[in-house]
Amino acid sequence: MEWLKYAALFFLAGPFIVEFVGYIWHRWVEHKGWFGKTVAFRHYKHHEVEYPVNRLRTHEYRNANSWTWYAVGIVTSVLAIMFAPWQYALSFGLGAWIYAWGIVLSMHTAFHVKGHFLWKYKWFRKLVRLHDIHHYDNMNYGICLFFMDRIFGTYTEEFPKDENGNLVKHPMFVSYMYERDVDGRSKKV
């Protein structure tokens, strides 16, 4: 039964690894373009086409068809299988995939859907606010938990504003020359 305790620990470690790898991927690959435009494009589409800051919510979620998050999940799972006994790798993989698909993907979808049942909860509206700030600024790369943002200094509860107190949108993607402004019009950055 000793292995069961370790399997449970690996299961609980899954979400933390998802948050860590997700933060690195989201910030450095999708926004900073570490692997180039091809990989960053789907996330750029999510920010600038499907959900620009002047239209952060729709009645139905518009998927940007980002395959890159699945690649991250598969690589992480393969590494777990390579370096951990199969019982631990399996429980780690289950914890990570349940968290990533069951919670992160569901929450992110709900952030952008008008009238989703979760909107009645204060804790959810706080997460939405933090995510909305991310669409304006290079901050808050987390989806559900923002502890990685706190560690790396990218956490904020404030929308970016100019010296007159007006909302501003900062350039978000180093790989692309055009982004939408707060009024929804495309501008060269």
Side-chain angles (χ1 to χ4, degrees):
M1 286 307 256
E2 186 74 17
W3 73 269
L4 192 56
K5 286 192 274 185
Y6 288 109
L9 284 173
F10 271 77
F11 182 84
L12 295 173
F16 292 101
I17 299 301
V18 167
E19 287 288 335
F20 175 73
V21 172
Y23 177 89
I24 299 300
W25 188 264
H26 191 185
R27 182 177 182 186
W28 297 104
V29 174
E30 293 186 327
H31 282 274
K32 302 293 183 193
W34 270 7
F35 296 150
K37 282 184 172 184
T38 304
V39 175
F41 173 72
R42 298 295 179 184
H43 197 64
Y44 172 82
K45 181 180 173 190
H46 169 74
H47 273 258
E48 302 300 325
V49 177
E50 304 296 346
Y51 296 102
V53 295
N54 67 322
R55 191 177 25 125
L56 285 171
R57 276 160 289 278
T58 56
H59 292 288
E60 183 177 287
Y61 185 70
R62 294 190 194 129
N63 192 339
N65 298 317
S66 180
W67 55 268
T68 61
W69 285 93
Y70 299 111
V72 170
I74 291 167
V75 168
T76 304
S77 298
V78 168
L79 289 172
I81 291 166
M82 289 172 54
F83 295 107
W86 73 269
Q87 301 96 325
Y88 306 150
L90 179 64
S91 62
F92 167 79
L94 283 172
W97 283 97
I98 288 170
Y99 178 73
W101 263 349
I103 297 177
V104 174
L105 182 61
S106 298
M107 294 290 273
H108 182 260
T109 298
F111 291 164
H112 291 289
V113 175
K114 291 178 186 175
H116 193 281
F117 79 92
L118 290 173
W119 280 87
K120 63 184 171 188
Y121 300 107
K122 185 177 180 178
W123 62 266
F124 179 76
R125 291 191 303 273
K126 179 175 179 167
L127 291 178
V128 170
R129 177 182 170 82
L130 295 173
H131 182 71
D132 287 356
I133 291 168
H134 169 69
H135 276 255
Y136 281 86
D137 200 355
N138 287 304
M139 305 295 278
N140 298 350
Y141 292 96
I143 300 293
C144 297
L145 303 175
F146 291 88
F147 68 90
M148 294 305 300
D149 289 291
R150 291 177 190 268
I151 291 170
F152 288 106
T154 54
Y155 179 82
T156 186
E157 294 183 6
E158 301 299 323
F159 282 92
K161 296 183 178 171
D162 65 14
E163 59 277 349
N164 296 323
N166 300 314
L167 274 178
V168 294
K169 182 178 176 295
H170 294 265
M172 304 285 292
F173 296 90
V174 295
S175 301
Y176 292 91
M177 292 174 48
Y178 291 92
E179 296 185 13
R180 294 190 187 276
D181 206 350
V182 292
D183 60 4
R185 287 185 285 183
S186 183
K187 69 173 185 173
K188 190 172 184 175
V189 290

